[in-house]
Amino acid sequence: MQSSNGDIIDLHGEWQLVSADGEHGASIDLPGDVHSALVKAGIIPDPYAGRNEEVVQWVAERDWTVERSFVVPDASGSWYLDIDYLDTVAVVFVNDVPVLSADNCFRRYRPDISAALQPGENRIRIVFHSSLVAGAERQARQPFYVPYHKGNSPLPHGNMLRKPQCHFGWDWNIAIAPLGLYGTVSVKRLDPARIEHVETEQLHHADGRVDLKVTATIHSVEPAVVPVHFILDGEKVRLDVGINAGETKVVYVFEIENPRLWWPAGNGEQALYTLTVDLPTETVTRQIGLRTVELITDPDEAGSRFALKVNGREIFCRGANWIPADALYSLSSVAKTEDLLNSAVDANMNMIRVWGGGFYEQDWFYDLCDSKGLMVWQDFMFSCNLYPCTDDFLGNVAQEVDYQVRRLASHASIVLWCGDNELVGALTWFEESINNRDRYLVAYDRLNRVIEQGVRKAFPQGIWWPSSPASGYLDYGDAWHADGSGDMHYWSVWHENKSFDNYRSVRPRFCSEFGFQSYTSMPVIESFADAADMNIASPVIELHQKNAGGNERIAGTMFRYFRFPKDFANFVYLSQIQQGLAIKTAVDFWRSLKPHCMGTLYWQLNDTWPVASWSSLDYGGNWKAMHYMARRFFQPVAVAAIPSDDGASLTLSMVNDTLDPVTIDVNLFALTLDGKRSPLKSVQGDCGPDRAEVLLTLDTTEIPVDGLLAWSFTASNGMRGEGHFLNGTYKSLDLLPSEISTRVTALDDGSFEIAVAAKGLALFVMIESATPGRYSDNAFDLSAGESRQIVFTPSSTMEPGVLPEFRIYDLHSCQAAD
């Protein structure tokens, strides 16, 4: 079926897919990917299950064709094909006439197809060439070899192509090099013009007024006069514009006397204005948030700052790194993506970093970030490899940058444009670039300069940062270990096997990547592995661990801090607890340094498939233990325990990310191994707006030798929390049985109340169910005789009278023999 209004023929829907050799055929829904269509047709097994990744490799090695027919009642006039997210090296034919040769997944193509069309039935065919073959061919044409990271990209030469780099693997992604079409595919009549871009520029006056300059770029094949309407929240203006052949820019300025400003989540309203630009045959709508953004990089005694200022106020950025929502496009959706972004906001995040090895996301993604107040650090799509610097490659990149910046720049959520991910570091990873640094540094600089110039031309107001991490402009130093300036990626704890305490050895100005792995949750593991596979050294579990040495590092860290768990399920549970503790150690300390440090974005928010990784959300969107912990350690008002370097003292740090001063009341307890709580002291502290302050410092001799320090706090703005500190390792504790009991009650709204009680000390109580859903709290502590009511809300409505089954973990039962 095709949908059409005469001048627009929407070609979304069913196409026919066939391998170039004719051996395999199936139907495919576009937008969609080839692998998902082959799974649906029973030609290949689910790549995510078992070791099927190994048996579907042939798909990426072949060329594929998709084809369908469409009807054009009247083929007169000027017609074009509107197509984007075309992945990646592809030739499009209309009635066997080649109309487009494409090789960039990140560009929009609008070729004229008038000469190829005929009245009545037409056929469109897209031939997708193997990315593996195309990458090898392009590598062979380079004037010198351009290396790629074989650990991240087990499928070769992805750096030759403008395609998501994680499609070739990654240390968290399946390596199957998917292909397909993920965006628009339409045939349109140009009658007489179309809207090419709608761009905005804001001028904020000292008296609060805002001028919103709107520039519409109109494309036509011949001169004409067209009515152009500009509409902003009901204010409508008509301009009758004479346009030339080619592009004509039409400008209108809205004067907004009493603007409602857009603020990041937790800092104010996410006010959005609806902007519409229309021609008689086309309407483009944008939502506009009025705000100013500055990047503060002033020099100071430590180096130079790295702080974002929104509407004149410095904002501490709390968040995580975003990777594509799914390894296969057809398995993603707006609803699933919104659920992931909601989870970010619900965990008190105000920023995500769209990492440079995936996609420039679709417009609706940034609309969601706008409406939720999630600031976006936007990388350009270059990551962890070296790249060509030939004229054809850089010309392709220049068009990509121009299109993407013009498409996305009006989103209030995008606060920073970053040239790449870890390309400066990559210069030190390869024998070729180590032996000839000048050659590869010049090549990098050419690429980086093309991206920077593209941003400055398309969006002069945009905030540009050259790379992540970077110590500053034209600074090619080691931002993985140097913490005085710029943004930092700190990976020594994971990749160098340092202790969690090592996070306190650096004082980043802004840490945009740091992470620690865990296993994905048991219900997810059970979706791809059989009972016989439930062993960390089984081939299936190892295949679903993409970081070399990752399983050993998880296990080795457990030996460092914990007694080893009694079985596989508890190993999975404990891996998630230690992941949360690692990231909490970093965030607690770096937040206590505010305003020296002004951002922590951990690696990573989400998973692309079921895999052991650094994510805090399971594949499918359920929260791992760390995400529940993140909701606490990212709370705008928080209290954290920071031990001194020598372990002799302990500082309780207060952090207040709100605009108002708060008074914080803290009750401190000694917590013994039988779970009894004894009051130690109560203290009160005042923390000014946007500050981190010391509440008190304790001598560690005040902490029970055979127990823990625990606390609870209440802030004057209603925020509250709790925590504990152990002076030593958890494996040193001779924990007694916690004797946890539960009672489940169905509530009228379809959720369930779980009453959890303990007779002894229960640390890191984790509730888990095969039924997907969200818990009101998790990974919490219970002292002896304490009970807590947890509400579980299933992701979908359950049958009346059916109760989910819950499994309860805690530290003692995890380690104790039954």
Side-chain angles (χ1 to χ4, degrees):
M1 291 290 291
Q2 72 180 41
S3 60
S4 171
N5 68 2
D7 288 339
I8 301 175
I9 301 168
D10 183 354
L11 299 181
H12 291 174
E14 185 177 340
W15 294 52
Q16 293 306 306
L17 168 70
V18 65
S19 56
D21 56 13
E23 185 178 349
H24 301 285
S27 65
I28 182 173
D29 287 327
L30 295 183
D33 67 86
V34 169
H35 285 80
S36 294
L38 296 177
V39 171
K40 188 175 179 181
I43 295 171
I44 62 171
D46 176 3
Y48 296 177
R51 297 171 63 185
N52 290 342
E53 176 185 1
E54 298 170 339
V55 302
V56 302
Q57 291 299 312
W58 63 270
V59 177
E61 297 165 358
R62 302 197 181 190
D63 292 354
W64 295 88
T65 296
V66 297
E67 189 169 2
R68 65 163 291 167
S69 62
F70 62 96
V71 174
V72 180
D74 177 5
S76 63
S78 179
W79 291 81
Y80 66 98
L81 176 67
D82 197 359
I83 192 167
D84 62 6
Y85 289 96
L86 181 58
D87 184 14
T88 285
V89 180
V91 181
V92 183
F93 298 84
V94 173
N95 298 324
D96 294 325
V97 177
V99 296
L100 172 66
S101 180
D103 66 348
N104 191 325
C105 186
F106 309 128
R107 285 172 56 186
R108 177 183 64 189
Y109 296 98
R110 288 180 159 181
D112 187 299
I113 61 171
S114 306
L117 280 185
Q118 58 193 29
E121 183 170 304
N122 294 259
R123 291 202 68 78
I124 180 170
R125 183 172 84 255
I126 305 174
V127 179
F128 293 96
H129 293 292
S130 165
S131 295
L132 306 184
V133 174
E137 291 172 347
R138 293 179 184 216
Q139 182 72 266
R141 294 201 300 267
Q142 294 303 311
F144 53 86
Y145 180 71
V146 184
Y148 63 94
H149 192 298
K150 293 180 174 64
N152 281 339
S153 303
L155 300 181
H157 309 308
N159 58 333
M160 295 294 106
L161 302 179
R162 297 309 303 133
K163 171 180 172 62
Q165 297 295 276
C166 66
H167 280 181
F168 299 88
W170 225 260
D171 54 6
W172 39 261
N173 198 30
I174 189 169
I176 54 176
L179 63 161
L181 192 155
Y182 317 134
T184 299
V185 54
S186 300
V187 170
K188 298 179 179 179
R189 192 204 305 261
L190 197 62
D191 184 21
R194 68 176 182 238
I195 300 173
E196 203 74 349
H197 303 289
V198 172
E199 300 163 82
T200 61
E201 178 183 344
Q202 300 178 20
L203 177 60
H204 290 249
H205 296 280
D207 62 3
R209 291 179 299 113
V210 176
D211 292 339
L212 181 69
K213 178 183 175 183
V214 183
T215 302
T217 303
I218 310 297
H219 175 86
S220 177
V221 291
E222 55 189 28
V225 176
V226 294
V228 183
H229 291 100
F230 293 87
I231 309 164
L232 185 70
D233 271 15
E235 181 184 345
K236 185 172 184 178
V237 176
R238 171 175 170 149
L239 301 178
D240 291 309
V241 180
I243 59 175
N244 300 314
E247 291 189 354
T248 303
K249 292 186 182 295
V250 183
V251 178
Y252 184 78
V253 178
F254 289 97
E255 297 178 356
I256 306 165
E257 291 293 330
N258 298 296
R260 295 173 292 120
L261 296 183
W262 181 94
W263 286 93
N267 293 274
E269 182 188 3
Q270 285 75 60
L272 293 168
Y273 292 74
T274 300
L275 170 69
T276 302
V277 179
D278 71 30
L279 301 177
T281 56
E282 184 177 16
T283 299
V284 173
T285 300
R286 298 273 187 269
Q287 55 182 23
I288 306 297
L290 302 176
R291 51 91 178 123
T292 61
V293 181
E294 302 167 73
L295 178 62
I296 309 302
T297 56
D298 298 341
D300 60 13
E301 65 285 352
S304 59
R305 303 196 66 216
F306 192 99
L308 282 161
K309 183 182 283 189
V310 179
N311 298 330
R313 182 189 166 203
E314 288 190 16
I315 305 288
F316 190 99
C317 299
R318 307 182 302 262
N321 284 261
W322 172 268
I323 60 177
D326 206 291
L328 293 172
Y329 172 83
S330 296
L331 301 181
S332 66
S333 69
V334 175
K336 290 177 181 177
T337 298
E338 182 169 17
D339 181 64
L340 297 172
L341 296 175
N342 282 339
S343 289
V345 175
D346 291 347
N348 291 307
M349 297 184 192
N350 59 21
M351 174 177 271
I352 56 169
R353 173 176 173 238
V354 176
W355 167 78
F359 287 99
Y360 307 93
E361 295 287 346
Q362 310 247 8
D363 288 288
W364 55 259
F365 175 93
Y366 300 95
D367 287 341
L368 289 171
C369 293
D370 293 340
S371 64
K372 297 176 192 304
L374 274 173
M375 293 180 285
V376 173
W377 171 310
Q378 178 66 51
D379 280 2
F380 287 89
M381 294 300 122
F382 303 87
S383 186
C384 292
N385 293 314
L386 303 185
Y387 290 88
C389 64
T390 52
D391 289 346
D392 60 336
F393 186 87
L394 295 182
N396 199 354
V397 168
Q399 293 185 71
E400 165 191 328
V401 171
D402 185 75
Y403 166 63
Q404 293 292 348
V405 174
R406 293 185 194 281
R407 176 175 74 95
L408 297 174
S410 292
H411 286 281
S413 53
I414 300 179
V415 295
L416 184 143
W417 302 83
C418 178
D420 63 71
N421 174 77
E422 297 190 351
L423 264 57
V424 174
L427 291 166
T428 68
W429 299 347
F430 307 106
E431 182 180 351
E432 294 86 355
S433 54
I434 291 170
N435 293 336
N436 194 343
R437 180 175 171 83
D438 289 354
R439 164 187 277 179
Y440 290 93
L441 180 59
V442 168
Y444 167 74
D445 187 63
R446 286 181 178 173
L447 171 65
N448 195 250
R449 192 62 56 89
V450 165
I451 302 169
E452 179 181 5
Q453 290 174 345
V455 174
R456 298 202 186 284
K457 179 182 177 184
F459 187 45
Q461 302 75 40
I463 294 176
W464 162 257
W465 188 245
S467 180
S468 185
S471 296
Y473 297 99
L474 297 179
D475 187 326
Y476 301 108
D478 179 6
W480 283 260
H481 297 91
D483 59 356
S485 303
D487 75 309
M488 186 180 199
H489 290 188
Y490 194 65
W491 281 105
S492 294
V493 172
W494 174 257
H495 286 301
E496 298 174 28
N497 204 28
K498 300 287 183 68
S499 71
F500 295 172
D501 293 335
N502 185 259
Y503 282 122
R504 293 191 288 268
S505 71
V506 292
R507 301 166 64 88
R509 313 316 300 264
F510 193 113
C511 199
S512 46
E513 267 194 35
F514 60 104
F516 200 89
Q517 265 203 4
S518 73
Y519 283 89
T520 189
S521 301
M522 279 301 295
V524 179
I525 293 174
E526 289 163 350
S527 75
F528 68 79
D530 296 331
D533 302 318
M534 302 299 177
N535 184 297
I536 61 170
S538 77
V540 168
I541 297 301
E542 288 195 334
L543 187 67
H544 288 251
Q545 162 62 273
K546 294 301 186 180
N547 183 237
N551 289 349
E552 296 96 316
R553 200 160 296 129
I554 291 173
T557 302
M558 281 187 195
F559 277 121
R560 179 181 282 165
Y561 293 112
F562 299 98
R563 301 183 187 189
F564 216 62
K566 63 188 180 185
D567 59 21
F568 181 73
N570 280 285
F571 183 88
V572 170
Y573 152 76
L574 195 55
S575 78
Q576 293 196 8
I577 297 301
Q578 74 177 13
Q579 176 193 31
L581 289 174
I583 302 309
K584 180 180 187 298
T585 301
V587 171
D588 282 351
F589 179 61
W590 296 339
R591 286 190 75 190
S592 79
L593 302 177
K594 182 180 176 175
H596 174 91
C597 176
M598 285 301 291
T600 60
L601 308 179
Y602 65 72
W603 186 271
Q604 69 218 59
L605 179 68
N606 56 305
D607 274 335
T608 57
W609 72 305
V611 66
S613 81
W614 299 266
S615 70
S616 60
L617 297 174
D618 277 321
Y619 177 69
N622 281 335
W623 292 23
K624 290 185 182 178
M626 186 170 88
H627 209 78
Y628 290 98
M629 296 163 82
R631 183 168 60 186
R632 298 194 283 267
F633 62 62
F634 274 155
Q635 188 171 251
V637 175
V639 172
I642 314 292
S644 61
D645 290 343
D646 61 7
S649 63
L650 182 72
T651 296
L652 282 188
S653 164
M654 303 180 290
V655 181
N656 175 17
D657 285 349
T658 75
L659 269 175
D660 301 310
V662 293
T663 299
I664 300 176
D665 290 291
V666 179
N667 294 313
L668 294 161
F669 304 92
L671 193 56
T672 57
L673 297 187
D674 60 3
K676 292 178 182 173
R677 296 202 308 178
S678 304
L680 283 181
K681 61 179 67 177
S682 296
V683 290
Q684 186 179 83
D686 294 323
C687 194
D690 272 333
R691 298 294 300 169
E693 307 275 5
V694 172
L695 175 64
L696 85 159
T697 300
L698 288 172
D699 193 304
T700 48
T701 58
E702 298 181 60
I703 301 172
V705 175
D706 198 18
L708 303 90
L709 175 73
W711 65 88
S712 61
F713 76 87
T714 303
S716 53
N717 65 358
M719 293 182 189
R720 57 184 63 241
E722 59 187 19
H724 74 248
F725 174 79
L726 172 63
N727 191 20
T729 59
Y730 290 96
K731 67 182 180 182
S732 69
L733 299 179
D734 289 321
L735 293 171
L736 300 173
S738 46
E739 297 187 65
I740 294 177
S741 61
T742 60
R743 187 182 69 254
V744 180
T745 306
L747 302 178
D748 291 341
D749 62 359
S751 62
F752 299 87
E753 184 181 83
I754 312 163
V756 188
K759 292 184 178 178
L761 177 61
L763 297 176
F764 307 118
V765 177
M766 188 78 188
I767 310 170
E768 183 179 86
S769 176
T771 302
R774 180 88 60 85
Y775 300 85
S776 58
D777 198 9
N778 225 334
F780 53 85
D781 299 337
L782 292 173
S783 55
E786 189 179 1
S787 63
R788 191 166 301 199
Q789 278 68 46
I790 305 298
V791 174
F792 173 71
T793 305
S795 299
S796 54
T797 305
M798 300 190 66
E799 293 290 326
V802 176
L803 295 178
E805 292 186 11
F806 296 102
R807 177 168 181 172
I808 310 294
Y809 300 88
D810 80 304
L811 189 56
H812 173 268
S813 62
C814 161
Q815 302 170 154
D818 291 331

